[in-house]
Amino acid sequence: MRSPSLWQALRSPRYLLSSWPWRSAAYLLSGVLVGLATLVSLLLLAVTGGALAVVLIGVPLLLMFALAGIPLAALERRRLRLVDPVVLPDPHREPDGTGPAAWVRVRLKEPATWRELGYALLFACVLWPLEALAVGTVLVVCGGLLATPVVMATAGGGEEARVLKIWLAVSYPQAFTAALVGALLLPVLVYPLGLVAVGRAALTRALLSARDAAVDSRIQELGRSRMRLVDAFEAERRRIERDLHDGAQQRLVALSMTLGLARLENPGEPLGGLLTKAHDEAGTALVEIRELIRGIHPQVLTDRGLKDAVEDVADRSTVPVDVRFELPGRLPEPVETAAYFAVSEALANVAKHSGADRAEVSGGIAGDELVVEVRDDGAGGADFAGGTGLQGVADRISVLDGRLRISSPVGGPTVFHVRIPCRPATATAAAPPTPTRKRT
């Protein structure tokens, strides 16, 4: 059952006895502090960056000003949990590459970045002064009334005290009456303070939520990735058909013709040479058929799981590969299949293009995600524009809501990083950590 929000708590008769008044006050008070810090930071970045922009030193400061809404929005999403338990998701997407440059490039292209900058400006200039006014009114009115006897005893010499700068209390009965009014007024003012917090939270959620355009963009990207997958699967089917026709089928035809010639030979002549050739052709055909089956879906992946399948493909790699995998058991079949083909494609690229002397494959479960990383010491320079293989892996992973990152600077090393949401498919006991497996 979902936890209640502040708005639901305000309609409860037990509101005053709950923690919600304190939480709403904390939300508004923290907003005053954060808003003041935001105002100072934005002013410093804007003024200093603008003054130094002519000598290019201020350009990074202006860039920080443009991106200042991102950390503020992240903090606001956390602060929102004080009065609203529903998590406000982060609208930003993960960059395709690694490093600060890739992160900045993606953020500057996102509408959410500029929407959060607008929120930061609104927060710094308008919202936090209103929050300060609301909280300050309650504190001044109730605090001033409650402090009347203390003021009379200390500052008034026991004879008189000015109450809220409005009227004068000239005796202790009047002073204690003012304090009683303050005590009765405090729970009354707590309700409008809670309403201010509700409105403030609703405004935050409205301004920082993902726009429909972002959702539409995500849907369009998913549609494009699925269309690419359909095309990739069709191309794979045609490749298998072609390989079977031009490879294994021709070998079997040659075997059949060789055996036919053997049958036509004079039985008195030796048939050893023809039979040897037929045996070699049959062996070659079997090897090719096994490779085709392994390329479609390896049996070891079905029978023994991802870890053994990765070790198998590492053993067949022409580049020595170290394998480190720690898995709690079998994973969902789509996750295992996507991860296996991602590793296969990565190791194929290592063998064909990297010129690496060694590679390493590591993997394990982090939270609810399968994390797989392929690293090599090659020349680097890998990217998605180099062919359809990496794009196909990214599309296959995106169907499972996974992410693929590639870091491959010129000169290396290349790091192929995959994250796929998953939960273990079976309740098998956790296996002990797999020792390092090295292929030499």
Side-chain angles (χ1 to χ4, degrees), residues 302-321:
T302 302
D303 295 341
R304 302 174 60 183
L306 178 61
K307 181 178 67 174
D308 291 335
V310 170
E311 290 177 350
D312 179 66
V313 75
D315 283 338
R316 292 184 285 106
S317 174
T318 57
V319 177
V321 180

Side-chain angles (χ1 to χ4, degrees), residues 45-362:
L45 290 174
V47 173
T48 308
L52 298 178
V54 293
V55 291
L56 301 181
I57 301 177
V59 173
L61 296 178
L62 293 178
L63 180 61
M64 292 175 61
F65 176 85
L67 300 175
I70 297 176
L72 174 64
L75 178 60
E76 286 295 281
R77 292 185 183 95
R78 291 183 176 272
R79 278 204 323 118
L80 189 62
R81 299 296 298 276
L82 284 171
V83 294
D84 192 346
V86 180
V87 177
L88 185 61
D90 189 346
H92 298 286
R93 67 180 181 89
E94 293 289 338
D96 296 330
T98 58
W103 185 87
V104 171
R105 184 166 55 251
V106 171
R107 293 295 172 263
L108 291 178
K109 293 179 180 179
E110 290 181 317
T113 300
W114 305 105
R115 187 169 64 251
E116 289 171 351
L117 177 60
Y119 174 84
L121 295 172
L122 180 66
F123 187 20
C125 300
V126 178
L127 296 181
W128 79 264
L130 296 179
E131 294 175 334
L133 178 63
V135 176
T137 300
V138 175
L139 292 178
V140 169
V141 172
C142 296
L145 291 172
L146 289 171
T148 302
V150 178
V151 173
M152 177 173 286
T154 56
E159 297 180 356
E160 62 180 22
R162 180 69 63 179
V163 181
L164 300 178
K165 305 293 184 179
I166 298 176
W167 56 278
L168 190 66
V170 295
S171 64
Y172 276 105
Q174 292 182 350
F176 282 107
T177 300
L180 179 61
V181 172
L184 295 175
L185 193 60
L186 180 60
V188 175
L189 293 180
V190 161
Y191 280 93
L193 195 66
L195 290 174
V196 172
V198 167
R200 178 69 177 82
L203 181 62
T204 298
R205 182 171 289 277
L207 294 178
L208 297 184
S209 295
R211 303 290 95 180
D212 292 340
V215 177
D216 293 341
S217 175
R218 173 65 173 165
I219 293 174
Q220 292 174 4
E221 175 60 27
L222 288 175
R224 287 192 294 267
S225 68
R226 280 160 175 76
M227 288 301 298
R228 288 194 296 264
L229 277 177
V230 171
D231 295 338
F233 290 154
E234 180 64 20
E236 186 71 8
R237 186 193 64 79
R238 290 194 298 268
R239 182 190 68 81
I240 294 172
E241 181 182 2
R242 182 178 63 252
D243 289 345
L244 286 173
H245 183 272
D246 298 336
Q249 179 174 289
Q250 295 302 320
R251 296 287 186 183
L252 293 175
V253 169
L255 172 61
S256 177
M257 293 178 64
T258 303
L259 293 176
L261 290 174
R263 292 179 61 187
L264 295 176
E265 287 287 340
N266 189 339
E269 296 181 1
L271 301 178
L274 291 174
L275 293 177
T276 300
K277 185 177 180 181
H279 183 267
D280 292 340
E281 293 287 352
T284 304
L286 287 175
V287 170
E288 291 191 3
I289 290 175
R290 290 192 186 101
E291 288 296 325
L292 285 174
I293 294 174
R294 186 182 289 113
I296 297 171
H297 192 90
Q299 190 64 32
V300 65
L301 180 62
T302 302
D303 295 341
R304 302 174 60 183
L306 178 61
K307 181 178 67 174
D308 291 335
V310 170
E311 290 177 350
D312 179 66
V313 75
D315 283 338
R316 292 184 285 106
S317 174
T318 57
V319 177
V321 180
D322 299 336
V323 179
R324 295 182 177 88
F325 254 79
E326 298 181 9
L327 297 177
R330 295 300 299 268
L331 302 176
E333 183 178 352
V335 174
E336 288 188 335
T337 302
Y340 171 81
F341 282 106
V343 172
S344 298
E345 180 65 28
L347 291 180
N349 286 339
V350 171
K352 293 178 182 178
H353 309 298
S354 70
D357 296 324
R358 202 163 195 88
E360 178 183 306
V361 181
S362 60

